Amino acid sequence: MKNLKNLIDKLEKDNVLSKEEFVELIDLRNPEVNEYLFEKARNIRYKYYDHDIYIRGLIEFTNYCKNDCFYCGIRRSNKNAKRYRLSKSQILECCKTGYELGFRTYVLQGGDDPFYTDDKIIEIIKEIKQNFSDCAVTLSLGEKPYNSYKAYYEAGADRYLLRHETATEEHYNKLHPSELSLSNRKQCLWDLKEIGYDVGTGFMVGSPYQTTENLADDLLFIKELKPQMVGIGPFIPHHDTPFKEFEGDDGNLTLFMIGLLRLMLPSALLPSTTALGTIDPLGREKGIFSGANVVMPNLSPIEVRDKYLLYDNKICTGDEAAECRFCMENRMKKIGYNVVVSRGDFKPETIII
Ligand code: SAH
């Protein structure tokens, strides 16, 4: 026990551990060690972000996907998925609603849908930036060539989310068909950084075949990449995928990993994800107590909400944007945190409040 607490102290001091130390800490963790970690994680986030919670308006604009990731409910082979695409004017309408609700960041997320050519995406980014110039635009559109990323950035996109999913090649190949590769995924992340985006990466916790060594490698890859954001959530099976029989994390390991990430990247933006809220009704609150500082309520139009199903039992699929927004504010208030109206930019570690 003492040894585990020493490892947490060491992580707080050095912002990194060896692979073996991460493995030991993750494997041997227990409720007392969890609390020791979470308290440190909260105190570190207060130094940079006080009790503020940043909100992002998530617009799930297409569920068509050319990829076939084994875990994902909108994979191309899922013939039962009811597919939809939002038009530019529908996306702008979501932004308008979001603006009125106090969102100053829009996250455009979708399957890898070739219908949205670079020209179409650039037009959407430009119009959002013209109409809502004090807002940040975050993209989460999957793997693209360097020049596409560059063109979106030049059109005004500020941030890009691309989870690496798992940093171990052998594991990556168990989660994805052979046409997808970890090396390309990682290259995309390096490209995004070089272009100048604020970059978010991340991984699923409890995905099929994942080992503790894999999780330690995820942390070490993230340490190397130094992203501004890290999104992690439990793997949750989807009934129409090859992984339908697997069980995911019950949330406990995800929370522990959030705590470790906060100690490793003190000023990072760490979302408490919808997947966490799906496996536990208080999952998002627990994520905040473990060191997270961002939530991403859904802004997608109500008619498409129940179609962007990456996993089973996703929450909030019947709610209006305003309901989600105020529900989140109330949930955060109840646990002593404040949702703020701002772009919620990353703060470098030199800016301590
Ligand atoms: N096409 C984009 C967006 C993917 S969806 C891209 O490739 O980046 C966003 C994230 O949802 C994925 O990166 C994955 O980590 C997560 N996800 C997909 N299926 C999931 C599942 N069954 N359980 C939990 N998370 C899942």
Side-chain angles (χ1 to χ4, degrees):
M1 177 82 73
K2 184 156 177 295
N3 186 33
L4 294 187
K5 288 188 179 172
N6 287 344
L7 284 179
I8 291 173
D9 292 344
K10 185 172 173 203
L11 177 59
E12 183 183 23
K13 187 162 126 303
D14 301 345
N15 306 121
V16 73
L17 293 177
S18 70
K19 181 169 174 180
E20 293 70 31
E21 288 169 329
F22 273 132
V23 168
E24 184 184 351
L25 195 48
I26 295 167
D27 274 344
L28 300 181
R29 68 193 202 283
N30 60 48
E32 194 182 327
V33 169
N34 290 351
E35 265 326 300
Y36 190 74
L37 172 66
F38 296 154
E39 192 181 342
K40 280 194 189 296
R42 288 193 294 273
N43 286 333
I44 291 169
R45 77 87 96 192
Y46 297 148
K47 279 210 295 204
Y48 299 96
Y49 299 100
D50 195 358
H51 285 66
D52 288 351
I53 303 277
Y54 293 157
I55 50 169
R56 317 309 195 188
L58 183 61
I59 304 171
E60 300 158 331
F61 70 99
T62 173
N63 71 350
Y64 282 86
C65 195
K66 67 176 167 56
N67 291 337
D68 221 12
C69 309
F70 301 143
Y71 45 84
C72 185
I74 62 168
R75 64 199 300 267
R76 67 161 186 264
S77 299
N78 181 8
K79 302 288 177 253
N80 294 329
K82 294 195 181 69
R83 306 286 172 173
Y84 73 90
R85 291 185 174 111
L86 298 186
S87 65
K88 186 178 69 180
S89 64
Q90 282 176 303
I91 294 172
L92 286 161
E93 197 50 44
C94 292
C95 295
K96 184 164 172 281
T97 307
Y99 196 89
E100 285 157 8
L101 293 170
F103 288 100
R104 295 295 178 269
T105 290
Y106 304 118
V107 180
L108 293 178
Q109 189 179 85
D112 290 28
D113 180 358
F115 170 85
Y116 294 89
T117 56
D118 284 354
D119 285 347
K120 285 201 178 91
I121 293 186
I122 287 165
E123 218 182 293
I124 292 168
I125 297 166
K126 282 190 174 159
E127 281 209 35
I128 296 177
K129 290 300 252 189
Q130 267 161 22
N131 287 284
F132 309 96
S133 58
D134 54 340
C135 294
V137 170
T138 304
L139 303 176
S140 181
L141 319 173
E143 297 171 35
K144 303 273 182 184
Y146 183 95
N147 285 336
S148 302
Y149 286 150
K150 194 158 179 7
Y152 308 156
Y153 188 74
E154 282 164 1
D158 303 274
R159 310 178 188 142
Y160 205 102
L161 305 181
L162 185 79
R163 291 183 175 184
H164 64 277
E165 312 297 0
T166 173
T168 318
E169 195 157 331
E170 195 194 336
H171 186 218
Y172 193 92
N173 294 338
K174 289 182 179 162
L175 303 182
H176 302 95
S178 59
E179 70 259 24
L180 294 172
S181 74
L182 178 60
S183 58
N184 194 57
R185 194 103 181 150
K186 284 186 173 172
Q187 188 55 49
C188 287
L189 286 162
W190 293 115
D191 289 349
L192 290 161
K193 276 209 88 172
E194 186 190 299
I195 291 165
Y197 283 95
D198 275 358
V199 172
T201 193
F203 53 93
M204 287 176 290
V205 179
S207 59
Y209 313 108
Q210 185 177 62
T211 62
T212 313
E213 282 74 17
N214 295 153
L215 288 170
D217 281 337
D218 287 325
L219 294 174
L220 291 171
F221 170 66
I222 289 169
K223 188 69 202 170
E224 186 191 342
L225 182 71
K226 296 191 192 69
Q228 284 77 19
M229 306 164 272
V230 184
I232 66 169
F235 160 74
I236 304 173
H238 184 290
H239 63 278
D240 280 325
T241 63
F243 288 165
K244 63 179 175 210
E245 306 290 352
F246 282 87
E247 244 180 73
D249 173 42
D250 64 3
N252 285 306
L253 183 53
T254 304
L255 297 174
F256 195 74
M257 298 304 291
I258 291 175
L260 295 180
L261 284 165
R262 174 58 69 205
L263 266 54
M264 207 173 80
L265 300 173
S267 73
L269 298 163
L270 302 179
S272 194
T273 53
T274 307
L276 202 47
T278 295
I279 43 130
D280 178 341
L282 291 176
R284 282 167 302 176
E285 286 86 341
K286 291 178 186 171
I288 301 299
F289 279 140
S290 309
N293 59 338
V294 174
V295 290
M296 297 169 75
N298 204 314
L299 265 183
S300 309
I302 194 131
E303 343 48 283
V304 306
R305 287 263 182 126
D306 59 350
K307 300 188 181 71
Y308 195 80
L309 296 180
L310 311 178
Y311 46 78
D312 287 341
N313 305 317
K314 186 178 171 202
I315 51 170
C316 310
T317 53
D319 299 345
E320 297 282 355
E323 282 176 76
C324 284
R325 162 70 174 84
F326 293 113
C327 162
M328 195 55 74
E329 178 157 347
N330 288 332
R331 281 169 173 267
M332 294 299 123
K333 236 190 230 156
K334 263 194 199 147
I335 59 167
Y337 289 80
N338 324 305
V339 164
V340 295
V341 174
S342 86
R343 280 172 48 116
D345 283 309
F346 171 76
K347 293 183 186 168
E349 278 167 42
T350 44
I351 304 182
I352 295 180
I353 55 171

